[in-house]
Every structure is written in structure tokens, then in C-alpha cells.
Amino acid sequence: MKKCILLFALFFGYLAVSQTDIDRILDIGIDNAHTFSQAYFEPAGESLVNIMSNGWYTSGKTKKLWHFEVGIVGNLSFIRKDKRSFILDTREYTDVTFQDGQTRREVANAVGVNSEDVVVVINQGQVSQLEVVLPNGIGDSEVKSLPSGFIQASVGLIKSTEIKVRFLPKISAVKGSKIRLYGVAFQHEFTDWVFPLKRWPVRLSGLLGYTNVKGFYDIDANANQEVTVNTNSWLLSGVVSTKLPVLNFYGGLGYYFGSSRAKVLGVYQAQNLSGIEETIVDPINVKNKGRGIKATFGTEVKFGVFKANMDYSFQNYRNLSLGLKFGW
């Protein structure tokens, strides 16, 4: 089966969907395909918004003027079991029934897998029917975690303020694919406002961050078939950390939100509900949103000009973040 990297695979590198799976989605009818795709891709879109809200801070302390740090950040986001499937209710679709006669059934989404073939019947009139096997997830098995990585740097500005930038230059993970990431954040320390706060054993600050991920994959250049994804993720968080010389502990409580839009573009052939093959242009365009409260706990150790950190975030998709950086 021909594999092509789709949507979130452009970034994470190992999720894949086949041309056959795209055809299966379209074979249930274009209107039905939009309804199905919205639920099918939802956890993948949510997870991208979720994972990109991590790794922004390791301390409540902001850097002095023109002091800087640069390093790498890696994230591992965990997908709960209940996020790997969704309930398909045939009453929300047109002329669609399950082969076994059920009205509602749990089926795999983009990060799940069906234990057996799930067949739906497209009623194309009183005597004509079309059976379609619903696709599994865009990997060969259930996706339990999603990794990511990027370069991140920070510079101290005036008034106890620090600017941070993250980026992944445009790269091609596989032939025909491209992925790019960039982001910016501002962190301001409150403990420098008044003298009594400076005597506290901890440092307090606030952070606002934004990350954008864009991906592209050329499914079939001859048919102008391609997939794109554009994800925006925001984080607003308070940050606290200790003031110890070598080993410090930090944490944060914040709110993240954002959206991910996925498009399947190009010209495709699929059967309509009358059983006639028709040409479909740019068949899928879905947008998923993610938001929620997150709490982060971590530790950072300093070795001269080098620092290493690890933290764990409790949020909709829990996340482990690791970092290594140097600076002064």
C-alpha cells in the first residue's frame, strides 16, 4: 500500500495515511466525508495545539539586559486511550448505516485503530448500496505519544523582561514533504517590582507565548494532490521558581488555546450517493480547536554556562519536556 505522510506526520515523522484511506473517506459522500473528517482528525489537531504550548520556561527569573541562552527543546505528548476513538452516530450522516445494523458505534480516529474492519453501507436508492470499510488511524497502530523538537533562544531586555524565540527551519522529513515552525514569547518578572518581593525565596513572573506550525505533503504531483496543515498555539501562564545556586525547581499554572486547520487539496475521484463516479476538488477542509488549563512542575540543573531541565505538564494531553541550553 502506498504510504504518504499526512497532516501531523509532517511534523512528528512517523504517522502515515494511505491513498486508499483518503478514498474510503470520500466514498461515503462529500458531505458525509466532511462530518467524518471533523471527528477523525480532532485529536491530532488538539494534540498539536497542546504540545506546542510546552517548553517555554524553566525559571521565574528573567535575564539581565542582553544576557542570552540558546538550546534545544524536546517534547513528548501522551494521548489518552479515550482520545483514540470517537462515537460515530449514523443519524448525523446522510444515507449511511452500519453493516451490522447498529446506529452508534465506537470507531478509530486519526490516532487510533479498529480491532476489526468497520463497514458502513451507503444507501444509493432502493436497490443499490455501496459498502465502505472505514479507515484506521494514520499510523499502523495506536499512537500513544507524539514527539517534537525545535531550537529555542532567549535574550534579556529592559525592565525585567525577556524575549524568547523558537524555530525549526523549513525541512523535508520525507520526499515531497516540508515542515516549518516558529514562535515568540515574552516573560516578565514581578519580583523585581518592589523591594520586599526581592527578599522572597522564590521568583515570580508571567509569560505569553505563541507558536505556529505549517506542514505540506505532495501526495501526487500529476493529480495536484497535496495535504497541508496550519496550527496556532497560545499560552498564558504564571511561573514560579526557587533561587538555589545549582539545582532549582520551577512550576507554572496557565491557560493554553489554539486551532489547527487541515486541508486535503487536489482532484479526486469518488462515487456519489447515486453510484456515479464524480470528480471532487479540494475535498477536505477541517478546523479543530484545543484549549484548557495546564499545570507544570520541573527541575533545572546548572553546569557552568550549560543548563539542563526536565518538566511534566498536567493538561488535556499530558506532556514531558526536556531541554539542554547554554548561555549567560
Side-chain angles (χ1 to χ4, degrees), residues 12-47:
F12 299 115
Y14 66 89
L15 301 180
V17 69
S18 68
Q19 177 68 60
T20 300
D21 287 339
I22 295 177
D23 292 340
R24 287 177 178 177
I25 294 176
L26 297 180
D27 279 344
I28 65 176
I30 188 61
D31 292 336
N32 291 331
H34 278 290
T35 303
F36 180 85
S37 297
Q38 191 70 39
Y40 181 79
F41 290 116
E42 182 177 7
E46 285 183 343
S47 64

Side-chain angles (χ1 to χ4, degrees), residues 179-254:
I179 180 69
R180 173 179 64 81
L181 177 152
Y182 68 87
V184 62
F186 290 91
Q187 184 173 351
H188 182 78
E189 186 176 350
F190 303 132
T191 41
D192 284 344
W193 283 9
V194 294
F195 180 76
L197 295 181
K198 294 182 180 181
R199 305 181 65 178
W200 286 11
V202 297
R203 297 181 183 275
L204 302 173
S205 63
L207 179 140
L208 175 64
Y210 166 77
T211 305
N212 175 268
V213 181
K214 290 183 178 178
F216 162 89
Y217 183 78
D218 189 358
I219 299 175
D220 188 341
N222 295 327
N224 294 320
Q225 296 177 346
E226 64 185 37
V227 292
T228 63
V229 60
N230 186 9
T231 302
N232 299 294
S233 180
W234 292 85
L235 172 66
L236 179 62
S237 181
V239 185
V240 60
S241 68
T242 58
K243 293 182 177 181
L244 303 176
V246 177
L247 179 65
N248 276 285
F249 301 92
Y250 63 90
L253 181 63

Side-chain angles (χ1 to χ4, degrees), residues 15 40 43-44 79 83-84 109-113 137-138 141-143 146:
L15 301 180
Y40 181 79
I79 301 177
K83 289 290 186 177
R84 302 173 206 159
N109 57 31
V111 294
V113 63
I138 55 181
S141 60
E142 281 191 325
V143 180
L146 294 173

Side-chain angles (χ1 to χ4, degrees), residues 27 124 268-280:
D27 279 344
Q124 301 172 329
Y268 299 81
Q269 301 295 323
Q271 295 187 57
N272 61 26
L273 294 181
S274 299
I276 302 173
E277 189 172 85
E278 62 176 333
T279 299
I280 303 175

Side-chain angles (χ1 to χ4, degrees), residues 10 169-180 216-217:
L10 296 169
K170 185 181 291 186
I171 61 173
S172 178
V174 295
K175 184 179 180 180
S177 72
K178 294 180 181 179
I179 180 69
R180 173 179 64 81
F216 162 89
Y217 183 78

